[in-house]
Amino acid sequence: MSLESHHRRWRRVAVTTGAVVVLLGGLGLMRPSRDDAALASRSPVPPAPSMPDASVEQVRAPASSVGPLPAVPIPANVSGEALAVALGEERVVLASSTVVEHLEMDRPWACAGEQRTLAARVGGTPEPGALFRWVWPGQETGAELHPGTRIRWRAPAAPGTAFVRFQVCRDLGGRRVGILAEQLLRVEVRDCAGDASLEGRELTVAVIQQTNEAFLLRAVPSEAGALTGYSWDFGDGRSVVTSGPEVEHVYDTGTMDTRTFTVRLEAGRREGPPLRAKAFVSVRGQPPSDEPRPVTLAMSRTSANAETWRSEVSVEVPEERAVLWEQVERMTLHWDGQVEVMTRDWRDIITVEEERGRGAFRGFVEVHPNELATTVKQVVDVLHGRDTTGSQVSVSWASFKREAPHTTPSAGTQRPSK
């Protein structure tokens, strides 16, 4: 089983709607991901105080084993070798100048059984064909795997210490997986049941994406009571202090990398210490306007019948280029902000009616009634591939969008099982 085949799985991820990075009806060229921590400072306002991160222990190729973290022994089943065996892979450590610069969570600890966001920042020299993934021991299987530099991860049901491994990989064919760089994240898992002191101090940041680069950020405290001010650090070298709980921010998209920024918030209170929270936003870089686009997309909406949504998709590739398409990432956005992500082979989602060579084609995509519960607001498809240089190429479109006003269902409403 190849590394790519591990990525073709159903994955259900709960994140704010704004954290999903899409280019509706548009396109983008992505080189192997690199997460930049900061751009040049553009504001004299000092950043909010930094918060403690979850513990990490770094491994850089060609190292093939992980030493113990201070005071906490690392279980054998989280070693790179043990996880490779659990995934049915042959692990090959490769020399590389790619490095994992940092791993972090949206909070330094997790409650037992809850979902938290994990994010990785990758640096060094980008490697053509590099893949990014998180792996950890499974509760029902030998190992769990999820692609990407940012995921929603569910903590174990029992309190204790959990370990999650982030890897930069290359598919070497068959079951052989090349490890370019990796790092281990240690997470403290707490028993939060009935602990009002933990619940009452909670503060979260809601992320609402307005355009590819523009975001609306909102402070959401879980306890009643007035907050006296908000200090925002946007993770790109800029910061601001606001009197209200909302702020808008526009990130620079002058590079073609996909970058993940850490937004840190500190909110003052009339009584007691300030509340702190952080969230992650991803921005897909845009190619400069004077550079030729790698592909062009044309999409039109048709319907096979009254219930099924059908979209005609046409992708053109310039004569000097060629693209090998690999997979489609289907994101189902719900009215309550939840997102479900499914990654499949691209021909499982797109029915090709005409091959035009070099990766160009004409076909259609359908969204069926069993995928469209009343909670669904939008379905977005992102087609991923690589050109002859190994650079990633992606185009995306909305395969379904519910325009009518909608009343959010009660918490007891069940979504259809996949």
Side-chain angles (χ1 to χ4, degrees), residues 300-375:
S300 61
R301 187 88 66 203
T302 60
S303 294
N305 55 54
E307 296 180 338
T308 299
W309 277 61
R310 175 168 168 159
S311 302
E312 303 289 340
V313 178
S314 178
V315 172
E316 297 294 338
V317 179
E319 291 187 2
E320 64 275 11
R321 291 179 176 267
V323 177
L324 177 64
W325 300 113
E326 298 172 344
Q327 60 190 21
V328 169
E329 183 180 33
R330 171 160 288 186
M331 292 174 283
T332 303
L333 288 67
H334 293 265
W335 289 94
D336 60 3
Q338 303 300 303
V339 179
E340 295 171 3
V341 180
M342 177 188 71
T343 302
R344 299 276 297 277
D345 184 271
W346 75 283
R347 290 183 182 271
D348 290 344
I349 299 294
I350 302 173
T351 300
V352 176
E353 296 180 305
E354 180 185 359
E355 298 273 9
R356 296 174 175 172
R358 304 184 315 283
F361 67 89
R362 178 180 60 83
F364 64 88
V365 176
E366 291 184 336
V367 182
H368 300 282
N370 61 355
E371 301 176 79
L372 299 177
T374 57
T375 60

Side-chain angles (χ1 to χ4, degrees), residues 197-208:
S197 63
L198 294 177
E199 296 290 339
R201 294 170 63 84
E202 185 75 11
L203 175 69
T204 59
V205 177
V207 181
I208 302 171

Side-chain angles (χ1 to χ4, degrees), residues 106 117 201:
D106 55 358
T117 301
R201 294 170 63 84

